[in-house]
Amino acid sequence: MFTNQLGLCNSLTTLEIIGDSFSVTDPGKLSWTISGYGLTLGTFILIGGRLGDEFGNKAIFIIGMGWLALTSMMAGVSAYSSYPVYILARVLQGLGPALTVPNALAIMGKCFSGHNRNMGFAWFAASAPVGAMAGLLFGPLFAIAWWPWIYWSQALGVAFLFVLSIVAIPNMPVDGEKKQRQTIREILDRLDILGGTNGVIALVLFNFAWNQSLVTTWDEPYVYVCLILSVLFLAAFFYIELHLARYPILPVAVLTSDIAFVFGCTAAGWSTFGIWVSTNLGTQIKSN
């Protein structure tokens, strides 16, 4: 969670510096620096959790850390290329936390119990604002030298965590039932490919439409067409999860009132953080 929020906020206070190096000053285009990262993180986090369930939480967590290190290095190297390459690197960066965040929770749930588990989850949650503040602080500090060091330093830190994870996280075998799977059809059923695909498309279109509206406004037909399509794909996703999927990626049946309350608290907490981030981003855009 620390590396997740660090990767989000280390670019927030350096938008103009990065944009100037690519001769990009349009606020809408600069917003993709933040939105591109958040887009893939939020879109693929459910899939990241399901991959951990099927192929091992430790393995997927380590892959996520390695991916984040490589794409952070790519974001820095993009200084020698172009702004679209930089945005592509930011989009790919978000896949790393999408793999690490849900599997970190699963690892703690399996390794700890009782008071230790409660403390682990508490530290996990507390790492979000700490990581955000670290990103807001060290992003500009590294930019004083040269803005690619924002991402190169992140790559080095995450690479250290990648190695540490291999050594420190205990091996946790996958459930016996899953070990006995033999056919590709069974694997695809458990991964819920159809439901996951519809969910990803819905979230991508929805996020793209709202962020692109800052660039082109809602006057462009393709923007609101994307929004309409996202709603249709979302409806298809819930239909698949409720009626077709044998192993739904989002098991709606387990959403009890207690879990709904927890989701509500989580949504409120993340919303306050998002409002704060958006306010800072809006202040920078107005200053231009």
Side-chain angles (χ1 to χ4, degrees):
M1 185 60 78
F2 180 92
T3 56
N4 167 28
Q5 294 302 318
L6 176 74
L8 177 68
C9 292
N10 62 5
S11 308
L12 181 61
T13 49
T14 54
L15 283 176
E16 294 182 7
I17 297 173
I18 296 171
D20 287 344
S21 71
F22 291 112
S23 300
V24 175
T25 58
D26 183 86
K29 293 181 180 179
L30 290 176
S31 69
W32 276 106
T33 299
I34 305 299
S35 300
Y37 179 90
L39 173 67
T40 47
L41 167 58
T43 299
F44 290 95
I45 198 166
L46 276 177
I47 293 177
R50 175 54 60 90
L51 289 174
D53 292 339
E54 298 303 314
F55 302 110
N57 299 117
K58 177 180 179 179
I60 300 302
F61 181 88
I62 290 172
I63 290 172
M65 280 294 180
W67 180 266
L68 181 58
L70 289 173
T71 52
S72 297
M73 187 65 68
M74 176 184 172
V77 173
S78 67
Y80 298 103
S81 183
S82 62
Y83 188 69
V85 174
Y86 166 71
I87 294 300
L88 174 63
R90 287 291 289 167
V91 169
L92 294 176
Q93 266 189 301
L95 288 173
L99 298 178
T100 59
V101 169
N103 287 290
L105 283 169
I107 290 169
M108 284 192 293
K110 293 178 179 180
C111 292
F112 301 144
S113 61
H115 177 71
N116 289 335
R117 178 184 292 175
N118 294 337
M119 288 301 298
F121 288 156
W123 277 106
F124 182 87
S127 297
V130 174
M133 293 307 299
L136 294 171
L137 173 63
F138 288 102
L141 287 178
F142 281 111
I144 292 175
W146 191 25
W147 71 261
W149 278 107
I150 298 172
Y151 304 105
W152 291 338
S153 62
Q154 181 183 2
L156 292 173
V158 174
F160 171 76
L161 294 177
F162 169 79
V163 176
L164 182 63
S165 300
I166 296 175
V167 177
I169 299 175
N171 293 319
M172 291 167 288
V174 182
D175 295 343
E177 176 190 350
K178 295 169 185 175
K179 284 184 177 180
Q180 298 173 2
R181 293 197 314 271
Q182 295 180 351
T183 67
I184 296 177
R185 174 62 184 272
E186 289 174 334
I187 295 175
L188 295 178
D189 281 345
R190 297 191 70 92
L191 290 175
D192 189 16
I193 298 296
L194 184 60
T197 300
N198 277 270
V200 166
I201 293 174
L203 290 173
V204 168
L205 290 173
F206 184 85
N207 283 284
F208 174 80
W210 281 106
N211 194 76
Q212 191 66 11
S213 66
L214 296 174
V215 181
T216 62
T217 73
W218 292 101
D219 294 333
E220 291 291 337
Y222 76 88
V223 177
Y224 57 78
V225 167
C226 286
L227 183 62
I228 295 170
L229 288 174
S230 73
V231 175
L232 295 177
F233 275 103
L234 187 63
F237 167 74
F238 279 107
Y239 178 81
I240 292 168
E241 298 302 283
L242 288 169
H243 301 289
L244 300 181
R246 292 179 59 194
Y247 304 94
I249 198 170
L250 182 64
V252 181
V254 303
L255 297 181
T256 63
S257 57
D258 289 341
I259 293 178
F261 177 74
V262 173
F263 279 165
C265 292
T266 304
W270 278 91
S271 295
T272 57
F273 179 77
I275 291 170
W276 182 80
V277 170
S278 300
T279 301
N280 280 273
L281 180 60
T283 300
Q284 291 191 48
I285 290 175
K286 287 181 179 179
S287 66
N288 289 334

